[in-house]
Amino acid sequence: MKEKKIITKGFIVESLGNGMFRVLLCNRDRDIIFCYISGKIRKRFIRILLGDIVKIELNCYDSKKGRIIYRLQKK
């Protein structure tokens, strides 16, 4: 049975090495978590910069790490 994923939006705060980012979640608690880039974003050379709004997939067992699955347009 597949485990459930939580999808939420976030804001890129800091760019770390090796495709890792520190992301501020857009929830009530304003948590900052570590995220890595998904394979499709890495494969298509999509650039993620500071200030970008992204969609994040969180595992229900570990909510301190996530995966960036989509980059939304800047406004």
Side-chain angles (χ1 to χ4, degrees), residues 9-38:
K9 289 182 185 178
F11 185 76
I12 302 290
V13 175
E14 184 180 357
S15 175
L16 305 170
N18 204 15
M20 295 287 290
F21 294 92
R22 196 167 280 158
V23 178
L24 177 70
L25 294 181
C26 296
N27 60 6
R28 282 180 273 178
D29 300 333
R30 301 296 237 175
D31 294 332
I32 294 179
I33 63 169
F34 288 107
C35 292
Y36 62 93
I37 299 175
S38 70

Side-chain angles (χ1 to χ4, degrees), residues 15-72:
S15 175
L16 305 170
N18 204 15
M20 295 287 290
F21 294 92
R22 196 167 280 158
V23 178
L24 177 70
L25 294 181
C26 296
N27 60 6
R28 282 180 273 178
D29 300 333
R30 301 296 237 175
D31 294 332
I32 294 179
I33 63 169
F34 288 107
C35 292
Y36 62 93
I37 299 175
S38 70
K40 287 186 179 183
I41 292 178
R42 194 179 299 246
K43 184 178 176 181
R44 294 194 171 108
F45 299 107
I46 296 172
R47 301 290 175 216
I48 297 177
L49 304 172
L50 294 178
D52 283 346
I53 300 171
V54 292
K55 270 190 187 177
I56 299 166
E57 184 178 77
L58 297 170
N59 191 348
C60 61
Y61 298 115
D62 185 14
S63 62
K64 292 297 177 188
K65 286 192 264 182
R67 179 170 60 174
I68 299 172
I69 57 173
Y70 193 78
R71 178 179 163 252
L72 300 170

Side-chain angles (χ1 to χ4, degrees), residues 1-5 59-61:
M1 185 172 158
K2 278 193 166 183
E3 52 196 48
K4 293 188 178 185
K5 303 286 184 177
N59 191 348
C60 61
Y61 298 115

